[in-house]
Amino acid sequence: MRETGDGPERLNTGTAHSARVYDYILGGKNHYEADVAAGDAMVEVWPALPAHMRANRAFMLRASRCLAREHGVRQFLDIGTGLPTSPNLHEVVQEVAPAARVVYVDHDPIVLNYAQALLASTPQGRTTYIEADMRDPDAILGAAGFRDTLDLDEPVALLVIGMLHFIHPGDDDQGLIRRLLDPLPSGSWLAATVGTADFAPQEVGRVAERYAAEGMPMHLRTHAEASAFFDGLETIQPGLVQVHKWRPDPDDERVRDEDIAMYGAVARKP
């Protein structure tokens, strides 16, 4: 069963957007000239950017599979979904548990357009798309799709992948995560990745400058700052590490530490 939100805003194709730049750099087809130009400029200043982005996505797939297979999670709330790229989150978790339910959230109208076409659930499960901004948790938690799809008497996995470097401390970054976690029951989970310049400060700093020039300012965090998002939660092994070091699969792409600018962790809500 598949449901989508409604009321998309006018699509702006003349300005680069983070989801479409991500799609372009990963080799997708759902982007425009502005996204290509921005992506090329970013890869020029940091050639490792595609490998970094692939590692971030691979973390999401491993973490969601782990939660479904090893911890029995059957409900997922994915914030900042981005453009659908198979395998999507619901494909991974429904392969483990066909009745799993997934709520996707993004605020780019092009993501809504492709979500309508591609985010198709198994007959036993359910996928819903909500058009909303992470900076407005009330809009997410109050959406009919959220209430109708997720049972808050059962654990929910909150995924925030590749998003937090676009959320600044002035936006109450940690408060946003808490507001999303608060209504979720004990035994729920947070899986998140957090951008950092700890390993290649000059190169990653130049990428951040390019994003800012395109109207997408970033805030990169140290390990200690990234850890704060998981305060009060029970982080599972191996803790907060670079994403390529979190339970890697034998066939994962081999990368250098200095080519990965993202920490990742999975933690349980007591």
Side-chain angles (χ1 to χ4, degrees):
M1 181 174 181
R2 172 174 56 84
E3 297 181 359
T4 58
D6 48 33
E9 61 188 79
R10 184 177 65 86
L11 180 63
N12 180 0
T13 63
T15 302
H17 186 282
S18 58
R20 299 192 299 261
V21 172
Y22 187 78
D23 173 79
Y24 167 64
I25 293 176
L26 287 179
K29 299 179 180 179
N30 304 319
H31 48 263
Y32 297 92
E33 290 183 6
D35 308 303
V36 172
D40 286 345
M42 293 169 190
V43 173
E44 183 177 357
V45 299
W46 193 34
L49 184 58
H52 157 82
M53 288 184 169
R54 289 192 295 267
N56 181 66
R57 180 166 180 80
F59 167 88
M60 183 274 287
L61 299 176
R62 294 194 307 273
S64 58
R65 187 178 293 111
C66 169
L67 288 169
R69 181 178 294 159
E70 299 180 23
H71 299 281
V73 180
R74 298 295 181 260
Q75 303 188 107
F76 296 80
L77 174 61
D78 182 27
I79 307 294
T81 298
L83 290 160
T85 302
S86 188
N88 292 294
L89 170 62
H90 71 279
E91 295 174 293
V92 171
V93 299
Q94 289 179 347
E95 183 179 4
V96 176
R101 296 184 168 209
V102 178
V103 173
Y104 290 107
V105 180
D106 208 296
H107 68 101
D108 185 354
I110 194 174
V111 178
L112 172 60
N113 293 340
Y114 283 95
Q116 290 174 317
L118 298 179
L119 300 184
S121 172
T122 59
Q124 305 97 311
R126 188 170 184 175
T127 62
T128 302
Y129 182 89
I130 298 171
E131 188 180 14
D133 194 315
M134 179 180 171
R135 295 176 182 84
D136 188 1
D138 291 340
I140 298 170
L141 300 172
F146 175 87
R147 299 191 306 270
D148 294 344
T149 304
L150 302 182
D151 178 0
L152 295 187
D153 290 328
E154 298 294 333
V156 176
L158 169 63
L159 282 79
V160 186
I161 307 297
M163 277 290 295
L164 289 171
H165 49 282
F166 294 117
I167 307 296
H168 289 236
D171 295 324
D172 188 24
D173 52 356
Q174 294 179 34
L176 293 175
I177 295 294
R178 297 301 161 190
R179 287 167 64 189
L180 290 165
L181 279 173
D182 279 349
L184 306 184
S186 174
S188 292
W189 296 82
L190 171 65
T193 62
V194 186
T196 183
D198 283 355
F199 302 93
Q202 294 184 351
E203 295 86 346
V204 177
R206 288 195 292 267
V207 173
E209 290 173 359
R210 293 303 312 174
Y211 267 99
E214 297 291 342
M216 299 176 283
M218 299 170 63
H219 183 83
L220 301 167
R221 293 170 172 84
T222 65
H223 188 274
E225 291 169 332
S227 296
F229 287 107
F230 300 91
D231 285 350
L233 305 177
E234 300 168 350
T235 305
I236 62 173
Q237 291 297 323
L240 181 70
V241 296
Q242 283 177 286
V243 288
H244 66 297
K245 296 181 177 180
W246 196 92
R247 303 192 180 190
D249 292 330
D251 56 352
D252 282 347
E253 179 180 1
R254 295 293 182 263
V255 293
R256 304 180 306 164
D257 290 354
E258 56 266 37
D259 290 343
I260 303 300
M262 200 79 78
Y263 288 117
V266 176
R268 181 182 180 275
K269 178 179 177 181

